[in-house]
Amino acid sequence: MKLFSSVNDVTDVKALVAQALAEKNDPFAHQHLGKNKTISLVFLNPSLRTRMSTQKAAMNLGMNVIVLNIDKEGWALELRDNVIMNGTTVEHIREAAAVMGEYSDIIGVRSFPGLTDREEDYSESIFNKFVEFCKVPVISLESATRHPLQSLADLVTIEELKTKARPKVVLTWAPHIKALPQAVPNSFVEWMCQADVDFVITHPEGYALSEQFTNGATITHNQDEALKDADFIYVKNWSAYEPYGAVTGGNEDWMLTNTKLDVLAPEAKVMHCLPVRRDLELSSEILDGPRSIVVHEAGNRVWAAQAVLKQMLEAL
Ligand code: CP
């Protein structure tokens, strides 16, 4: 594998999930693969889980790891082409990415969307510039429209904890006070549509995701109907795709509570990619109770990253 930016870069999703579980079972089995190889993890935005889990995965594979918080520690990057750099930016992404490629065998990049210009965000221009100019394999640490390492970890978690061959998985919108990207839900939809699950998306009117991702998925505005008899409930807020980045307010009753689940989905396990705002996006009683598998899910980020990095190292 030379690029990991979406589920479309994976030749066999089932095999990748199985590999992640094999890495979990025997974390140091492939330490020889990363010997004398360097991965650079480049962050244009904050991170806890992605940074630590990918670093740990790379170390388990014997790699050297460089972490660069380029938004805070690097020169101010110019991301646009054809501009005279007489403002605040100091270094163009063309040179910066190329130089990082000189120091790295694999590069991981995190770059969030601006949520103001949909065309710009959905063209993945920043992520794609890294891919174009660094000349080494690239792994997405969350881009403007997708978070594939998160989705792979989510699928690994479902595979690991399911109690029936084809579980019902529900993606539910949740309230928030800020405009959040669509990357996590877009990606989750994309991966669930390739998995052996009965998948339903539910959100209030006005929060439809791009059809590029939801095409063919079951979607309802009735949360109660969607939640009924769910085995896994994936909770996530996102801002509107149309009008782009909008947050309409209201819909506070979309937050999951035990009262809701006791009636509709008593056996459901509750997932969230984290970070989560307690009692705004998801109730403390669920997060602190037996239904929550959010920490287990975050733990699986290591094995998801390790399975992908293993494939990348094998292709070097
Ligand atoms: N879920 C996730 O990607 O977490 P971080 O933003 O902390 O990396």
Side-chain angles (χ1 to χ4, degrees), residues 46-51 110 142 147 150 273-275 301:
S47 168
L48 186 159
R49 280 144 290 272
T50 306
R51 174 192 318 259
R110 166 165 283 199
E142 187 172 344
H147 195 357
Q150 179 66 54
C273 64
L274 304 178
R301 292 291 306 273

Side-chain angles (χ1 to χ4, degrees), residues 61-234:
L61 290 166
M63 300 186 81
N64 301 313
V65 185
I66 297 171
V67 179
L68 177 62
N69 302 306
I70 200 164
D71 57 328
K72 298 181 188 71
E73 299 159 356
W75 297 108
L77 273 190
E78 180 56 66
L79 303 168
R80 300 164 299 170
D81 278 323
N82 305 317
V83 291
I84 297 169
M85 289 172 55
N86 58 0
T88 54
T89 57
V90 179
E91 176 154 38
H92 202 279
I93 191 169
R94 285 174 176 260
E95 286 80 45
V99 169
M100 286 186 248
E102 292 289 313
Y103 307 146
S104 317
D105 297 286
I106 298 173
I107 290 184
V109 179
R110 166 165 283 199
S111 84
F112 286 174
L115 289 180
T116 52
D117 182 339
R118 189 169 80 187
E119 201 178 327
E120 165 81 8
D121 289 345
Y122 273 69
S123 73
E124 291 286 6
S125 64
I126 299 174
F127 183 81
N128 287 339
K129 279 179 178 146
F130 269 95
V131 173
E132 181 180 355
F133 300 124
C134 77
K135 308 277 188 225
V136 296
V138 176
I139 181 167
S140 169
L141 304 177
E142 187 172 344
S143 66
T145 65
R146 290 178 170 99
H147 195 357
L149 281 179
Q150 179 66 54
S151 308
L152 173 56
D154 297 335
L155 183 51
V156 167
T157 305
I158 289 168
E159 193 58 35
E160 198 181 19
L161 300 181
K162 71 183 184 185
T163 54
K164 59 177 75 152
R166 190 175 167 84
K168 179 175 178 182
V169 178
V170 179
L171 167 64
T172 181
W173 182 93
H176 209 283
I177 49 162
K178 284 185 67 184
L180 297 193
Q182 294 119 25
V184 168
N186 281 345
S187 208
F188 187 72
V189 172
E190 204 168 48
W191 284 73
M192 284 305 120
C193 287
Q194 298 235 359
D196 194 10
V197 297
D198 176 12
F199 184 50
V200 180
I201 304 168
T202 185
H203 57 74
E205 287 191 34
Y207 287 97
L209 293 164
S210 164
E211 284 179 12
Q212 172 192 347
F213 294 94
T214 60
N215 199 10
T218 303
I219 304 168
T220 172
H221 299 313
N222 184 332
Q223 191 192 39
D224 285 3
E225 181 187 289
L227 294 177
K228 190 142 181 44
D229 300 326
D231 297 297
F232 295 91
I233 303 173
Y234 200 89

